[in-house]
Amino acid sequence: MNGLLTLLVLLPLAGFLVNGLLGRRLGPVFVNIVGVGLPLAAFGVAVWAWRILETGGAEPLIETVFTWALIGDHAFEVSFYLDRLSAVMALIVTGVGALIHIYSIGYMKGDESYARYFAYLNLFLFFMLLLVLGRSLLVLFVGWEGVGLASYLLIGFWFQDVDKARAGRKAFITNRVGDAGFLLGMFLIFTAVGTLEMDQINQAFAGGLIPAGIATAVGILLFIGATGKSAQIPLHVWLPDAMAGPTPVSALIHAATMVTAGVYLIARMSGVYLEAPAASTLIAVIGLLTAFLAATIALVQTDIKKVLAYSTISQLGFMFLALGVGAYAVAVFHLFTHAFFKAALFLGAGSVIHALSGEQDIRRMGGLARRIPWTSGTFLVATAAIAGLPPLAGFFSKDEILWFALASGQGGSVWLWLLGSLTAFLTALYMFRLYWLVFLGRSRMAPEVAEHVHESPWPMTSVLVVLALFSVIAGWFALPHYLEGALPAPDLRFAWPILHWALILFAVLIAVAGVFAARHLYGNGGQRAEAIEQRFARIHRLLAGKYFVDEVYDRLLQRPWRWVSDRIFLRLGDRLLLDGSLHGLAALARRGAAGLARVQSGSLHWYAWMTLLGLVAVLIWMWRYV
Amino acid sequence: MTIETVFLLVFALGALTGAVAMFFLRHPMRVALALIGTMVSLAAIYAQLGMHVIAVFQILIYVGAVMVFMIYAIMLLDVRDRSFTERFSPLLLAGIAGLLLLLGVLVDGLLRGQPFPAVDVPPDVFGVGAFAIAFMDQFWVYFALTAVLLLVAEIAASAVIDIRRRGQDVAAGQAERENGHG
Amino acid sequence: MTAEGLFVAALPEHLLLLGILVILVIDLLSDRPREPFLPALVTVLAAAGAAFWLHRSGYIGAPFPGQFSVGPDALAAKAVLFVLTVPVLFLARAERLDSRVAMLLLASLYGAGLLLSADSLLMLFFGLELLSLPLYALVVLAFRRPESAEAAMKYLVLGGVGTAVLLMGISFTLGSTGGLSVEDFRVALVSDDLLARGAVVLVVAAFMLKAAVVPFHAWAPDAYEGASIPVTAYMATIVKGAVILALVRLFGDAGAEPELIAVLVALPLLSMVWGNLAAMRQQGFRRLIAYSSIAHAGYLFFALLGAPEGRFEAVTFYVIVYGLTNMLALACLPQGEDWLRDRLEGLKGLYHRDPRAAILIAIAMLSLAGIPPFPGFVAKFLIFRTVMEAGLVAVAVMGLIASYLGIYLYLRVIQYMFMSPAPAQVRTEPATGLAATAALLTLAAVLLVGVF
Amino acid sequence: MSEALALNLLLFLPVVGGILLLMLPERRPNLVRGLAMVVLLAQLALAAWLYLRFQAGVPGLQFETRLPWIPAWGVHYHIALDGLNLLLVLLTAFLGPIVVAGAFTSITRDVKLFHGMVMFIQFTMLGTFLAQDLFLFYVFWEAMLIPMFLIIGIWGGERRIYATLKFFLYTAFGSILMLAAVIYLAHTVLTADGTPSFAFADLYELGLGVQVQTLLLAAFALSFAIKVPMVPLHTWLPDAHVEAPTAGSVILAGVLLKMGTYGFVKLGFPLFPDAALLATPLIMTLAVISIIYGAGLALVQDDIKKIIAYSSVSHLGYVMLGLVSYNLLGVQGAIIQMVSHGLVAGGLFLMVGMIYERCHSRDLAKYGGLAKLLPAYSVFFMILTLAAIGLPTTSGFTGEFLVLLGAFNGAWPQFEQGVSHPLVLASLAVLGIVLGALYMLRLARRLLFGETRAPVSGLRDLSLREAGILGVLVLAVFYIGLFPNDLLQKTEQAAMEYQERMLAVRDGEIER
Amino acid sequence: MDDTTLLLALSGLLFVLGLVGVIVRRNLLVMLMFLELMLNGVILSLVVFTQLLGAEAGAVLVFLVFVVAAAEIAIAVPILLLLVRTGHTLDPGAYAGLKG
C-alpha cells in the first residue's frame, strides 16, 4: 500500500493550510471539523500503516517521495521509513495529538484566534510526523526544526504579552544552539559515510568501517542537538519558560511528543552509539544529572505548570539515562508511558487552571478534589503513575530504567542506580506534594475565584479519562520486547532474577516512601515544609532560583555578545575604525584642496615665482645635480 | 686680450649695468631708459660679432618701435600710487633666492654644456645683403607670416582698445556681481 | 616646390587666412557691426573639410622644405581641432559674436595649423605665438567683468615668460646641435650633453606652461574664469590639444632620456592630483573646468610616455573626446548673466528646469570622469594602456588612482543638478537654441566616438 | 525564435523600454509605470523561456553571441548564458517587475526618470552577468554605478547625498584598481599571442606567474569584495540601504551585491587560481568574520533597514564561504544562496518599505504588535524572516545547508592532511545560524509581537497589489526551499567546471 | 675665459634677471620691460650661437623674436590701459580678484 506514509504526513499539513488560510472566515465549527478531524484521520492512517507493518513481519516500509537535491553523486531524497520504532512514535504522536486536539476544543473555546491555534497545532503534527517518519537525517532535521518553529509560534501564541513572545524566542534560540551541534554531527556523518539515510548510517557504523573517534564525535554532536530539543542540561532552560503557551500545547509539545524527539533521535541512531561508548556514558551522566537536578527544582516550584515542566525534564533525564546505558527500547518504553501520564497531568493542570479562571499558583489552591472530581481523579491516577506506583505505567518503565542503570553491560553502574533511585524518590515526593497542595487540604483560593470553580466541559474531561486509563495500562504492553527487532538491547552484567525482583521491591518502597513523605510534609497545609524551608533557607533559594542557570547564561553569553556587537563591532569597528578612516581621508582631501586654493593666491608675482621654481626644479633634475 | 675682447667686455658691462639698474630705478621712465641702454649695448655687441643685420634690427625694432611704444604707454599711465612708491613686491627675498638658484643652475649649465663644434663662418654671411638674400630665398615664408602676425596684433590691439567704448558694461557687470554675491 | 604644392599643402591655413580677410573686409565696409557668424562657420568648416580631404587622400607635402610639411597625422590633427572649433563658434554666437572675436579665433586656429605642421623650431615658435597672442586679446574681449582684464594680464605676463623659456630652449638646441630643425631637437632628446638636456627640458617646460601643467599652470584657472564661455572652451580644448599634439609631433619617433621620462611622469602626475583636488571645492563652473583641464593635461602628457607609434592615436582620440565633452557641458549651461551662469549654484535643480540640458551635462561630466559607457572611459583606457605597454605599470596605476580623485568633483555637479532643490534667487533661462544645437551636434559626435 | 536572439532581446529590452519611456509625457505617471511594467514582464517571460530552454549538463556557454566591437583591441560584444549566470539573470528579470510594482505608490517625484533609471540598471546588471568579454564586463560593471547613484541620490532619505556619494566613491575605488588590472591583462594578452583578446575563455588560458596573479587578484578581489560586501569593506552598505528608496534597496540587496560574488566565481578565482588558492585562507576567514560580524551588528541596530542590511553582510558571507570551499555542494549552495538572499532580502526590504510608506518611520522602537494590526503583513514578514533564518522548506535553508555541508565536506580532507583551519572556520560558520536566529527573531519580536504600538493609527493591511508581490516572492522562496533540484541540475555543470578547475590547480600544487 | 662663454653667461644673466624682475618689481609696466629683458637675454645667446655656427636660421629666429616682441607689446599695452582704467593702479598685487 504505497503512499500511505505520505498521506499520513500530509493530512495535518492540509489541516494547517486550510485552517491557516480560510479558518478565520469559516468559523469555529468548520475549524473543529478540519483541525480535529484530520489528526483523527491521521491517527487512523497511522494505525492502518502499523497494521501493514505488522502483517509484513516488521519489515520496514520505505517510501520515497521525491529527490530534494541531486548534487554530483550525492542524492538527498525525501523518503519515509516506517519500522516498529517509528510506528510507535507515530502512534503516540497522532494518538495523543488527536486527543489533545479534542481537549483543545473545550480549552480554547472563544479564543479570538481559534483558527490560528488549530492551524499551528496541525502544523506541529505535520512536522512531528516528518521527524519520526523521515528516513534520512535531512528529513528528520526538517521536522526537527519545524517542530521548533511550531513550538515557537505556540509558546508565543498570545504574543500581545511580551514575556510570552520572549519565551518563544528563547525556546527557538536555545534549540538553535542544539541544532548547530546536530548540523555538525550531520555533516560529519555525511563526510564519513557519504549518505544521510539513517538505516544505512547505522549499518555503516555497525560495520565498524568508521573510526571510533568520528563515532564519538558524531555521538556527542548529535547529543548536543538532543539536549536542545529534549531540554537536557545545559540547554534545559527554555522548557520551563515554554509553559507560557496554552496548556494543551504544553501537554502535547512540551511533554508528550516534541521534547522526546531527542530520545527518538538517539534511539534511532543507536548504531552510532554502540560504536561510541564514551558518548553513551556522557549521555547517561548528563541524563541522570538532569533528572536529579530538575527533580530538586520541582520540589519547590509554586507554579503548577512549572512543577510539571521540571518533572518533564526530570523524566526525560531518565530516558537519556536509559539511552546512555544502551537500553534504547526501555527509553522508548518510558517515553511511551510518560507520554500518557504526563499528558494527563498537564491536561489536568489545564483543567484546574481553566476551573480557577487562570490561576496557576498552587499556593492559592487546595481542596479542589471535591469541587472538580473528574479532574482530580484522573490527576491522582497520573500522579501515581509518574511516581512509579505499581501497577501503573510509570512503575514498569522507570523500574526497567533503574534496573538497566545498574545491570547494563554498557556502562551500567551502582552509582547511576543509586542516584536514579533517589531521583525516583524525589519524583514521588514532588508529585504528591503537588497533588496535596492542589486538591487536598484546605482551600487557599481567593474567594472570588472560589465561587465559580467548575468542572471542565466534556471534551476535556473525557480526554482526561482516556489518558488516565492509558496511564494505567500503558505499562502492560511489553514494549521493549516488541522493539527488540528495531533497537539493539544491551547485554547484562549479571542476570540474577532475584536481584531484579529485589530492586523492583526497593523501587516500590521508594515510591511509597515518597508518597508518605509528601503527606507528612504537606498533609496539613504544609507547615512542616515551611519549617524546613526556614531551616535550609539558602538551599531553598538556590532551588527556587533554578540554580540560577538563566542568570549565569545571561551574564556569560548574552550580555557579552551584545557588548561585543555594540562596542567592538559597531562603535569601534564600523564607526571609529572603518568610517572614521574614510572620513579622515575625505577630510584630508578637503584640507588639501583648501591648501591648493591658498596656493592659487591670485598674485601674479607668486605665479611667476612658482614658474621660476618649476624651472629650477626641472633643470636641477635634468642636470643631475641631485 | 685683444681689443675686440675689451670692447665686448665694456659693452657686456654696459648691458649688465643697465639690467641691474632696472631693478633699482623707481620711475618706469628711468627703467625704460636703462633698458634702452642695455639694448643699445647689446646691439653694439652684435655689431661687434659681425651680425650687423641683427644689430640694425635691434636698434630699429626694439629701441625704435617697442620701447617708443612702451614710453608712450608710460607717459599715458603715469600713476603715482603704491606701484610707484613701493618698488618691490612682497616676494623680494623669495625672488632673490630664486635669482641665485636659477642663475647658478643656468649659467653653470651653459658653461658646462658642450656647444656644437664651431665652424669657420665666411666673413660676410651676416652682412645685410647676404642675409637679405638668404632670407628671401630660404625663409621668405616667415616674411609672409610676420605680416599675418602683425595684422593679427593690430586687430587684437584695436579690439582691446575698442572695449573702452563699452565702459558701462563694466559698471553693469560690477553691479550684477555685487547683488549676485549678496 | 610647385605653386600647386604651395597652395594645396597649406590649403586649410590659406582658407583660414582667407576667412580672416573676408571678415575684415566686411567689417571695414559695413558701417554698423554685423555678426560674422556665417563666414566664420563656413571658413572653419571649409578648413576642416580641406584638412580632412587631404588626410583622406593621404597627401604628403613639404611646400617649405625644412619649415613646414604636412602628412596624414598632421592633417588629421588639424581636421580634429578645426572641427572642435565649430561648437565654439556656436557658443560665441550665443553671446553676440563680435567680428574681431571671430577673426582672432581664426587667427589663433591659423597658429595652431602652423604649429601642427612645423618642421623647424622657428615654425614651432611662430605657430605657438600666433596661437596664443590672439588669446590674450580674446580673454579680455569678453569684457563683462573687470576680472577679464586681470585674467588677460596674468595670462599675458606668464605667457611671455613661457615664450622666453621656449626661446631659451630653442637657442640651447641651436647651440648643442647646430641646427633648428625638428630632427636636431630629436638629436638633443637622446643626447646626454648638458646643453642638449637643458634645451629639451626648457622646451618641454614651455609647452607644459602653455598646456597648464603643474607647476606652470598658475595662469590657467584665473584666465579661464576671466574669459567668456566660448573662449574658455577654446582654451580648454583646442589650445591644449594643439600644444600637446605639436609636442607629440616634435618628439616624433624618438625615445627620451630617463631623466626626461621622470619629468614627464612626475609633473603630469602632480597636476592630475593637483587639478582634481583643487577642483573639488570650486564654486565657479569655468574654474572647475579649468582645474579639471589641468588634470586632463596631466593625462595627455602621460601619452608621451608610451611607445612612439601609439602616442598620436591615443592623444588625438583623447583630445577629440575631451574636447567634445567639454563643449557639451559648456554648451548646455543655462543662459543668463555671465557671472550667474558661471556659479555652480545656478545649476541646482537644473533637471527640473531643463531636463535635457541636465542630462547632457551629466553625460559630459561622467565622460570627463572616465565612467563607462561614455567615451571618456575609452580615452582613459587608451592612454593608460599606452603607458602600461611602455612598461610603466606602477605609473599607470598611480595615474589611475589620481584620476579616481577626480570622480568626486564631477559627481558634485550631477548632484547639484539632480539632487538639490533650485535656489530661489537664481533665475536662468534654459540654454538657447544655438547652444542646444551645438550641444546636440557634440552629443551626436560623443556617442559616435563612444561606440566607435 | 532562436535562443541567442532571445538573449540579446532580453538584454536590450530595457534599453528600448527606456527610450520609449523618455517619449511619454511626464504628467502621465501611470502610463510610465504601466509601460515599464509591461517591458519588464516581457523581459521576465523571455528569461523564464531561456531558463527552460537552457540545457543542463552541457559544458561551456549556451546561446552565445559574439560580434567584434573594437577590433583593434580584440574587444567583442560577447554574451552568453552558463550555469553560473543563469539563475542570476533569472533573478534579475524576476525582481524587475517586482521593483516597479513596489514603487507604484512610493515613487511620486520624477516618475519618468525613475523608471528610466530602473531600466538602465536592469540593462547594466544583466549585461554584467551575461558578458563573456572582460572589457564588456567592466563597462557594464562600472556603468551600473550611474543609475544607482541617481536612484539613491534623488529619491533617497535625508542623508541621501552622503550615502550615495559614499556608495559611488567606495565602489569606484575598487573598480579603478580593477581597471588597472584589466588594462594590464589587455596588454598581457596582447603580448601573449599576436591577436589581442578580452574573452574570458582566452583569459582562462594564459598562465601567469603567481606574483602577477596575486597582484591582479588583489585588484579584482578588492573591487568584488567591496561589492559583496565583505567585512571590512562593508560600511557603505548600511548607509546606502538606509537612505535608498525601497526600490533601490531591493535592487541593491537583490541583485547588485551578487555581482560581487558572481565576479569572484566567474572571474576572480578561475582567472588567477594559484593566487586564489594562496588567498583562500584569508578569504575564508573574512567570510566567516562577515557572517559573525554582520550578525552581531544586526543585533544592535534599531533601524529596521539597517538590520536587514547587516543581515545581507552576514548572508553573503555564506556565499563566499561556499565559493572558497571548492566543493561541489558548497559551490552549488552558494549559487542557491545568492538567489535565495536576493528573494528574501529583497522581500524584506519591500516589506520595510510598505510599513515605512504607512508610518514614515523605520525606528524599531516605535513599533510593536503589528501582528494584531496587520495580520496579513505579519504572516508574510514572518515567512520571510524564517527564510532569512534558514528554516527548512525555505530557500534560505537550501542555500545555507548546502554551503555549510560543502564547506565542512571540502575542509575534511585537508583536516585529515593536518590542515585544520578550514574545518574550524566551517564549524564556526555553523554558529552563524544561531546568531542569525538571534537578530532576526529580535526584529520579528519587536515588530510583530508585544503590545500593539505604531507611529500612526488606522493602519490598513496589505493592499491587493502588495499582497500579490509578496505572494509571488514567497512562492519562489518555498519553491527553492522544497524543490531546488531543477535549479541545481542547471547549474551543476558550471559549478563542477569551476570546482574541478580550482581543485586541479590545488592538487597540482600539492604535488609540487 | 673666451668671448663665447662670457657672452653666454651674460645672456643667462639677463634672462634670469628678467624673470626675477618680473617677480620682484611692483609695477606692471616695469614687469613688461623685464619681459623684454628676458627676450634680450635669449636673443643674445641666439646670436652667439648663430655667429658661432653660421646658421642663418638663428638670425631669422632673432628677427621673428623682434616681431613677436613688438606684437606682444602692442597687445599688452592696451590691456594694461584697460586694466588701469578699471583698477586705477599698476600694482599687480591689487589685481587678485581671481583666485582660489
Side-chain angles (χ1 to χ4, degrees), chain D residues 94-115:
Chain D
F94 180 76
L95 285 179
I98 289 183
V99 166
V100 171
F104 200 84
T105 53
S106 58
I107 299 293
T108 51
R109 279 189 303 112
D110 302 332
V111 176
K112 226 167 89 177
L113 184 64
F114 175 81
H115 289 88

Side-chain angles (χ1 to χ4, degrees), chain A residues 37-179:
Chain A
L38 288 172
L40 279 171
F43 179 61
V45 176
V47 174
W48 187 3
W50 175 61
R51 289 293 322 292
I52 292 171
L53 175 71
E54 291 308 320
T55 49
E59 192 49 39
L61 304 177
I62 296 179
E63 226 174 83
T64 304
V65 185
F66 66 95
T67 305
W68 182 69
L70 172 63
I71 297 172
D73 45 7
H74 302 303
F76 298 91
E77 285 179 337
V78 175
S79 55
F80 298 127
Y81 181 84
L82 188 81
D83 64 353
R84 286 185 161 172
L85 175 56
S86 38
V88 170
M89 291 303 290
L91 287 171
I92 296 174
V93 170
T94 49
V96 179
L99 287 174
I100 288 173
H101 277 74
I102 298 168
Y103 177 92
S104 302
I105 296 176
Y107 189 84
M108 295 303 288
K109 184 172 291 301
D111 189 283
E112 54 183 334
S113 38
Y114 191 70
R116 185 160 62 92
Y117 173 82
F118 277 99
Y120 287 169
L121 224 50
N122 290 345
L123 180 66
F124 167 76
L125 274 189
F126 162 67
F127 279 123
M128 195 66 207
L129 286 170
L130 219 52
L131 194 160
V132 296
L133 290 178
R135 181 188 181 198
S136 91
L137 271 173
L138 184 61
V139 181
L140 190 151
F141 185 75
V142 173
W144 185 271
E145 291 262 302
V147 290
L149 166 67
S151 97
Y152 164 75
L153 293 171
L154 281 165
I155 295 169
F157 182 72
W158 288 305
F159 54 79
Q160 298 295 87
D161 177 347
V162 180
D163 296 337
K164 291 184 166 35
R166 228 184 241 119
R169 176 158 159 261
K170 181 177 179 182
F172 196 96
I173 304 287
T174 323
N175 273 306
R176 269 275 158 147
V177 178
D179 299 348

Side-chain angles (χ1 to χ4, degrees), chain A residues 68 70 159-160 191 574 579 583, chain D residues 162 166 234 293 310 409 450:
Chain A
W68 182 69
L70 172 63
F159 54 79
Q160 298 295 87
T191 16
D574 264 28
D579 275 354
H583 297 159
Chain D
Y162 167 78
K166 194 174 180 181
H234 63 286
Y293 193 92
Y310 280 119
N409 222 9

Side-chain angles (χ1 to χ4, degrees), chain D residues 224-435:
Chain D
F224 294 151
I226 287 175
K227 196 64 112 259
V228 169
M230 290 176 81
V231 176
L233 301 171
H234 63 286
T235 52
W236 63 270
L237 186 70
D239 290 310
H241 266 315
V242 168
E243 296 307 326
T246 304
S249 302
V250 174
I251 296 173
L252 200 55
V255 185
L256 230 113
L257 307 184
K258 314 302 178 300
M259 286 166 61
T261 45
Y262 173 74
F264 270 117
V265 65
K266 179 79 179 180
L267 278 177
F269 297 149
L271 222 51
F272 318 111
D274 303 287
L277 288 164
L278 284 181
T280 300
L282 174 66
I283 299 172
M284 212 168 184
T285 319
L286 283 180
V288 174
I289 288 179
S290 302
I291 295 174
I292 295 172
Y293 193 92
L297 280 169
L299 184 65
V300 292
Q301 298 299 331
D302 280 332
D303 183 324
I304 303 174
K305 268 188 154 186
K306 268 210 164 118
I307 295 177
I308 303 169
Y310 280 119
S311 81
S312 300
V313 175
S314 186
H315 282 121
L316 286 157
Y318 285 110
V319 179
M320 289 311 296
L321 185 66
L323 292 183
V324 294
S325 70
Y326 307 129
N327 174 294
L328 189 56
L329 295 155
V331 178
Q332 287 278 60
I335 296 173
I336 294 290
Q337 173 76 354
M338 288 191 218
V339 180
S340 156
H341 175 263
L343 297 171
V344 173
L348 282 170
F349 275 119
L350 269 174
M351 300 209 68
V352 178
M354 290 169 186
I355 195 70
Y356 184 76
E357 244 179 276
R358 289 164 168 75
C359 304
H360 302 287
S361 164
R362 290 187 312 263
D363 182 0
L364 198 48
K366 290 210 178 72
Y367 290 99
L370 292 188
K372 193 131 207 78
L373 298 176
L374 314 170
Y377 180 90
S378 314
V379 171
F380 281 117
F381 197 93
M382 201 65 218
I383 293 175
L384 288 174
T385 307
L386 295 172
I389 293 175
L391 199 83
T393 71
T394 65
S395 59
F397 172 73
T398 315
E400 285 181 12
F401 176 77
L402 289 178
V403 163
L404 293 172
L405 181 55
F408 196 93
N409 222 9
W412 188 256
Q414 302 181 45
F415 178 71
E416 282 172 334
Q417 289 163 6
V419 188
S420 61
H421 64 83
L423 195 69
V424 176
L425 289 171
S427 317
L428 271 179
V430 176
L431 278 187
I433 69 165
V434 181
L435 303 177

Side-chain angles (χ1 to χ4, degrees), chain A residues 605-606 609 612 619-620 623 625, chain B residues 89 91 94 98 105 108-109 112:
Chain A
H605 290 126
W606 171 250
W609 195 64
L612 182 146
L619 281 171
I620 285 182
W623 284 343
Y625 286 109
Chain B
S89 79
L91 272 73
V105 177
D108 177 79
R112 287 201 305 154

Side-chain angles (χ1 to χ4, degrees), chain A residues 360-608:
Chain A
Q360 296 197 7
D361 189 338
I362 55 178
R363 285 167 303 186
R364 290 200 220 83
M365 298 183 183
L368 287 172
R370 262 161 271 88
R371 309 286 297 278
I372 43 177
W374 286 102
T375 310
S376 100
T378 49
F379 202 92
L380 180 58
V381 175
T383 311
I386 190 175
L389 293 178
L392 302 172
F395 161 74
F396 295 95
S397 52
K398 192 180 290 177
D399 156 67
E400 283 281 301
I401 291 176
L402 289 175
W403 162 246
F404 277 102
L406 177 63
S408 159
Q410 296 172 24
S413 83
V414 66
W415 302 109
L416 294 179
W417 174 77
L418 271 178
L419 195 54
S421 310
L422 177 53
T423 313
F425 167 74
L426 289 174
T427 313
L429 176 54
Y430 66 72
M431 280 316 296
F432 274 93
R433 159 178 179 266
L434 181 66
Y435 188 76
W436 245 286
L437 288 177
V438 174
F439 292 98
L440 306 180
R442 286 180 290 95
S443 157
R444 299 178 300 281
M445 288 179 286
E448 70 277 10
V449 176
E451 54 213 34
H452 37 69
V453 172
H454 55 286
E455 182 55 273
S456 304
W458 68 265
M460 296 165 72
T461 44
S462 56
V463 170
L464 286 175
V465 172
V466 175
L467 285 172
L469 175 66
F470 272 94
S471 314
V472 177
I473 63 169
W476 305 349
F477 307 113
L479 208 52
H481 303 295
Y482 175 69
L483 289 174
E484 261 162 6
L487 293 174
D491 47 2
L492 297 179
R493 292 194 296 172
F494 34 69
W496 308 328
I498 306 91
L499 181 60
H500 195 173
W501 288 113
L503 289 179
I504 292 174
L505 193 60
F506 182 73
V508 175
L509 289 179
I510 282 179
V512 176
V515 178
F516 279 101
R519 182 176 181 287
H520 173 69
L521 288 172
Y522 301 94
N524 42 14
Q527 294 88 350
R528 292 203 191 75
E530 268 146 34
I532 295 177
E533 279 181 24
Q534 308 312 331
R535 287 271 309 286
F536 305 97
R538 175 165 292 127
I539 297 176
H540 179 264
R541 209 179 315 111
L542 184 64
L543 297 182
K546 307 151 190 171
Y547 298 102
F548 302 106
V549 179
D550 282 328
E551 289 71 6
V552 170
Y553 284 177
D554 185 49
R555 292 259 194 306
L556 288 190
L557 301 172
Q558 215 157 346
R559 287 194 199 169
W561 174 238
R562 281 196 69 88
W563 186 86
V564 167
S565 306
D566 185 35
R567 293 292 154 79
I568 307 297
F569 289 175
L570 185 61
R571 304 238 161 98
L572 179 67
D574 264 28
R575 297 215 181 121
L576 191 67
L577 294 183
L578 300 175
D579 275 354
S581 52
L582 289 179
H583 297 159
L585 287 177
L588 197 66
R590 269 199 300 282
R591 203 153 308 130
L596 295 182
R598 221 170 292 112
V599 172
Q600 191 75 13
S601 64
S603 141
L604 180 55
H605 290 126
W606 171 250
Y607 294 171

Side-chain angles (χ1 to χ4, degrees), chain C residues 226-241:
Chain C
S228 67
I229 281 184
V231 175
T232 309
Y234 184 79
M235 286 195 294
T237 59
I238 285 103
V239 174
K240 219 177 268 286

